[in-house]
Amino acid sequence: MSQLFGNLVSNALKYTRPGIRPEIDITAQTAGESEIRLHALDLKAAYIKIEVRDNGIGFSQEYAHQIFHIFQRLHSNEEYSGTGIGLAMCRKILQNHQGEISVSSQEGAGTAFSVILPLVHKKNGGL
Protein backbone atom coordinates (compact mmCIF):
# COMPACT_ATOMS: atom_id res chain seq x y z
CA MET A 1 0.00 0.00 0.00
CA SER A 2 2.87 2.38 0.68
CA GLN A 3 4.07 1.94 -2.91
CA LEU A 4 0.56 2.60 -4.24
CA PHE A 5 0.03 5.84 -2.33
CA GLY A 6 3.68 6.84 -2.74
CA ASN A 7 3.23 6.69 -6.52
CA LEU A 8 0.03 8.72 -6.45
CA VAL A 9 1.49 11.46 -4.23
CA SER A 10 4.75 11.45 -6.20
CA ASN A 11 2.84 11.96 -9.47
CA ALA A 12 0.84 14.79 -7.92
CA LEU A 13 4.09 16.53 -7.02
CA LYS A 14 5.78 15.78 -10.34
CA TYR A 15 3.01 17.05 -12.63
CA THR A 16 2.60 20.51 -11.13
CA ARG A 17 1.78 23.67 -13.06
CA PRO A 18 4.68 26.12 -13.31
CA GLY A 19 4.38 28.94 -10.80
CA ILE A 20 1.47 27.27 -8.95
CA ARG A 21 2.01 25.89 -5.45
CA PRO A 22 1.07 22.19 -5.51
CA GLU A 23 -1.93 21.16 -3.44
CA ILE A 24 -2.79 17.55 -2.71
CA ASP A 25 -5.99 16.54 -0.96
CA ILE A 26 -6.44 12.99 0.31
CA THR A 27 -9.91 12.00 1.48
CA ALA A 28 -11.56 8.74 2.49
CA GLN A 29 -15.19 7.68 2.69
CA THR A 30 -17.32 4.59 2.37
CA ALA A 31 -17.73 3.63 -1.28
CA GLY A 32 -21.30 3.85 -2.51
CA GLU A 33 -23.19 1.05 -4.22
CA SER A 34 -23.08 2.85 -7.57
CA GLU A 35 -19.26 2.99 -7.43
CA ILE A 36 -19.07 -0.67 -6.44
CA ARG A 37 -21.32 -1.59 -9.38
CA LEU A 38 -19.38 0.64 -11.77
CA HIS A 39 -16.19 -1.28 -11.04
CA ALA A 40 -17.96 -4.68 -11.03
CA LEU A 41 -16.89 -5.37 -7.45
CA ASP A 42 -18.55 -7.73 -4.97
CA LEU A 43 -21.83 -6.13 -3.89
CA LYS A 44 -21.81 -8.13 -0.65
CA ALA A 45 -18.51 -6.59 0.50
CA ALA A 46 -17.94 -3.19 2.12
CA TYR A 47 -15.44 -0.87 0.44
CA ILE A 48 -13.62 2.32 1.24
CA LYS A 49 -12.93 4.97 -1.38
CA ILE A 50 -9.72 6.96 -1.01
CA GLU A 51 -9.27 9.91 -3.32
CA VAL A 52 -5.97 11.64 -4.10
CA ARG A 53 -6.71 14.98 -5.79
CA ASP A 54 -4.20 17.55 -7.03
CA ASN A 55 -4.17 20.95 -8.74
CA GLY A 56 -1.53 19.96 -11.29
CA ILE A 57 -1.35 20.03 -15.08
CA GLY A 58 -4.05 17.41 -15.56
CA PHE A 59 -4.71 15.74 -18.90
CA SER A 60 -7.53 15.18 -21.34
CA GLN A 61 -9.98 12.59 -19.96
CA GLU A 62 -9.85 10.74 -23.30
CA TYR A 63 -6.44 9.35 -22.21
CA ALA A 64 -7.66 8.07 -18.84
CA HIS A 65 -7.69 4.41 -19.94
CA GLN A 66 -4.15 4.66 -21.34
CA ILE A 67 -2.26 5.81 -18.25
CA PHE A 68 -2.68 2.52 -16.36
CA HIS A 69 -0.94 0.47 -19.09
CA ILE A 70 2.73 -0.30 -18.59
CA PHE A 71 5.17 2.02 -20.39
CA GLN A 72 2.35 4.31 -21.52
CA ARG A 73 3.17 7.95 -20.94
CA LEU A 74 1.39 11.15 -21.91
CA HIS A 75 4.55 13.29 -21.83
CA SER A 76 8.09 12.89 -23.12
CA ASN A 77 10.99 12.14 -20.79
CA GLU A 78 12.36 15.61 -21.55
CA GLU A 79 9.17 17.18 -20.14
CA TYR A 80 8.74 14.89 -17.12
CA SER A 81 11.06 12.06 -16.13
CA GLY A 82 9.65 8.60 -15.46
CA THR A 83 9.39 5.04 -16.70
CA GLY A 84 5.68 4.65 -17.37
CA ILE A 85 5.50 1.86 -14.79
CA GLY A 86 4.11 3.63 -11.69
CA LEU A 87 0.39 3.75 -12.48
CA ALA A 88 0.43 0.27 -14.05
CA MET A 89 1.93 -0.95 -10.78
CA CYS A 90 -0.79 0.89 -8.82
CA ARG A 91 -3.48 -0.93 -10.80
CA LYS A 92 -1.78 -4.30 -10.23
CA ILE A 93 -1.45 -3.67 -6.49
CA LEU A 94 -5.17 -2.89 -6.30
CA GLN A 95 -6.12 -5.93 -8.36
CA ASN A 96 -4.11 -8.07 -5.94
CA HIS A 97 -6.16 -6.59 -3.09
CA GLN A 98 -9.54 -6.99 -4.87
CA GLY A 99 -9.77 -3.24 -5.38
CA GLU A 100 -9.88 -0.84 -8.29
CA ILE A 101 -8.44 2.50 -9.37
CA SER A 102 -9.90 5.15 -11.64
CA VAL A 103 -8.98 8.67 -12.64
CA SER A 104 -10.74 11.89 -13.47
CA SER A 105 -8.76 14.75 -14.97
CA GLN A 106 -9.00 17.96 -16.92
CA GLU A 107 -6.14 19.72 -18.68
CA GLY A 108 -4.87 22.60 -16.56
CA ALA A 109 -7.23 21.80 -13.70
CA GLY A 110 -5.66 18.83 -11.92
CA THR A 111 -6.30 15.14 -11.49
CA ALA A 112 -8.19 12.96 -9.02
CA PHE A 113 -7.35 9.28 -8.53
CA SER A 114 -10.02 7.18 -6.81
CA VAL A 115 -8.86 4.04 -5.06
CA ILE A 116 -11.51 1.56 -3.94
CA LEU A 117 -10.48 -1.14 -1.49
CA PRO A 118 -12.45 -3.77 0.43
CA LEU A 119 -12.58 -3.15 4.16
CA VAL A 120 -11.74 -6.82 4.67
CA HIS A 121 -9.08 -8.38 2.44
CA LYS A 122 -10.00 -12.03 1.66
CA LYS A 123 -6.97 -13.40 -0.16
CA ASN A 124 -5.59 -16.81 0.77
CA GLY A 125 -8.19 -17.41 3.45
CA GLY A 126 -8.18 -14.07 5.22
CA LEU A 127 -6.08 -11.08 6.12
Side-chain angles (χ1 to χ4, degrees):
M1 288 295 124
S2 62
Q3 189 169 23
L4 166 75
F5 291 106
N7 279 337
L8 295 178
V9 171
S10 174
N11 277 359
L13 292 171
K14 181 192 303 187
Y15 296 105
T16 59
R17 291 182 284 159
I20 305 293
R21 189 184 86 188
E23 294 180 14
I24 303 169
D25 293 316
I26 301 173
T27 59
Q29 63 186 9
T30 302
E33 184 179 335
S34 62
E35 289 172 310
I36 295 168
R37 286 183 187 279
L38 176 68
H39 295 288
L41 297 170
D42 182 0
L43 290 172
K44 296 176 188 167
Y47 293 85
I48 187 166
K49 175 184 174 184
I50 303 167
E51 188 171 77
V52 179
R53 180 179 295 274
D54 67 54
N55 67 337
I57 63 170
F59 59 87
S60 176
Q61 190 64 33
E62 69 182 282
Y63 299 111
H65 68 285
Q66 179 180 329
I67 65 171
F68 295 109
H69 296 288
I70 194 161
F71 304 127
Q72 294 296 307
R73 297 173 41 98
L74 300 181
H75 302 92
S76 70
N77 236 5
E78 291 79 32
E79 292 176 292
Y80 298 95
S81 64
T83 60
I85 294 174
L87 292 175
M89 194 175 309
C90 288
R91 173 163 274 169
K92 188 64 177 171
I93 290 167
L94 284 160
Q95 288 171 342
N96 287 341
H97 288 84
Q98 290 80 46
E100 192 57 68
I101 187 169
S102 60
V103 64
S104 175
S105 190
Q106 184 178 355
E107 285 185 73
T111 301
F113 286 94
S114 294
V115 171
I116 299 178
L117 285 164
L119 289 176
V120 177
H121 181 63
K122 296 180 182 177
K123 189 169 185 174
N124 298 326
L127 292 173

